[in-house]
Amino acid sequence: MQVRTRHTPSFGVARLMLAPGEPVQVESGAMLASSYGVTVEARAQGGFLKSLARAALGGESFFVSTYTAPQQGGWVDVAPNLPGDLNVLELDGRVGWCVTRGCWLASASTVQLEMQWGGFKNLFGGEGGFMTHATGQGPLVVSCYGALDVVTLQPGEYVTIDTGHVVAYADTVQSRLRQMSQGAVQSLKSGEGLVFDFAGPGQILTQTRNPRGLVTWLQANGLGARS
C-alpha cells in the first residue's frame, strides 16, 4: 500500500493506493471515496471482546472497515472528522507506536492493532484509559486536530505534554501519566488536567488543538448536543 496525502495541513485527505486484491484497514465512517470495484466489509477486529474494548475504552469505532481492491488495483480516500493534518508512519516491524483516542485513521493489513492500558488515572480523567497499539510492518495513517508537531527526544531528555495534545508516540519512548496540578482544586483553578511525562529516545507526535477544548467551547456557547 502507498499513501498520498492532499489538502494538508488544514483539511487532510489520504489516498490509499492498493495493489490488485490488496486489503486495507480503515476507521469506520472515514471513507470519502473509492475507485470503482473496491469492496468493503465491516468486521469486529480481533473478536467481540477486543472490539468492545477498542470502542468503549479506546474511543474508536466498534467495527473496522476492510476495503479490498479488485484485480486491477484501486484506491480509497479517507478523511478524519476534525479539521487538521495527517501523518503517515512507516512501521518497520521493530518499533511499534501508541496512538491516542480517535487519532487512528487507516493502516495496511500487515499492521496489527491492539488495545494498550494508558494508566488508571487516565481512565477516570475523561481522556480514555486505553490507546491503540500498532505493530507490524507497513503504513499507518494518523490524524490530528489542528497542525502536527513532532517532538524528537534524545536519550535522557524529558518533556511534559498535555494528554489532549498527544497524537502518538514510539515504543522507544518511556511515559508516565500524572496530574499537572496538585489536587483537584488546583486543577480546576489552572484549567490543566492530566499530562504525560515522556523520556527519550524517540518521537512524539502532537496536535496544536485539543478536541476536549472544542467540546468545552461548544457547550459554553450553547452549541453542544441536546437530548
Side-chain angles (χ1 to χ4, degrees):
M1 183 180 83
Q2 295 182 338
V3 183
R4 301 174 184 172
T5 61
R6 64 184 191 274
H7 304 314
T8 57
S10 299
F11 300 96
V13 175
R15 174 159 292 187
L16 314 175
M17 306 296 297
L18 305 177
E22 183 180 12
V24 62
Q25 306 169 99
V26 175
E27 169 69 356
S28 181
M31 194 276 283
L32 174 65
S34 72
S35 59
Y36 184 78
V38 171
T39 60
V40 59
E41 180 183 5
R43 64 177 63 179
Q45 190 197 53
F48 177 81
L49 292 179
K50 286 187 177 180
S51 295
L52 183 62
R54 182 174 178 272
L57 303 174
E60 311 291 353
S61 300
F62 181 86
F63 294 102
V64 170
S65 297
T66 299
Y67 291 85
T68 304
Q71 289 307 308
Q72 67 270 26
W75 53 266
V76 180
D77 280 354
V78 295
N81 290 323
L82 294 175
D85 208 349
L86 301 176
N87 192 70
V88 183
L89 299 168
E90 291 289 344
L91 301 191
D92 59 5
R94 295 176 297 173
V95 178
W97 281 77
C98 292
V99 183
T100 59
R101 182 185 184 96
C103 292
W104 175 78
L105 189 62
S107 54
S109 60
T110 50
V111 173
Q112 292 78 48
L113 305 174
E114 295 181 335
M115 299 311 304
Q116 178 165 303
W117 176 242
F120 180 83
K121 290 182 179 179
N122 201 17
L123 178 63
F124 291 93
E127 304 264 349
F130 287 76
M131 292 173 284
T132 299
H133 187 226
T135 57
Q137 291 182 298
L140 167 69
V141 185
V142 295
S143 63
C144 69
Y145 179 32
L148 183 82
D149 278 328
V150 180
V151 179
T152 301
L153 297 179
Q154 302 303 318
E157 189 176 5
Y158 298 84
V159 69
T160 298
I161 303 174
D162 182 276
T163 54
H165 288 273
V166 176
V167 173
Y169 57 91
D171 279 349
T172 56
V173 176
Q174 299 182 55
S175 64
R176 181 185 68 173
L177 188 71
R178 64 177 174 85
Q179 273 191 323
M180 183 66 178
S181 302
Q182 296 297 321
V185 174
Q186 287 299 318
S187 293
L188 288 173
K189 288 181 178 179
S190 67
E192 301 294 341
L194 296 168
V195 296
F196 275 117
D197 291 327
F198 292 109
Q203 288 189 331
I204 306 152
L205 306 183
T206 66
Q207 55 192 3
T208 58
R209 297 293 182 267
N210 187 339
R212 186 179 67 243
L214 174 62
V215 173
T216 301
W217 184 89
L218 290 173
Q219 292 174 341
N221 288 273
L223 300 175
R226 298 178 181 177
S227 57

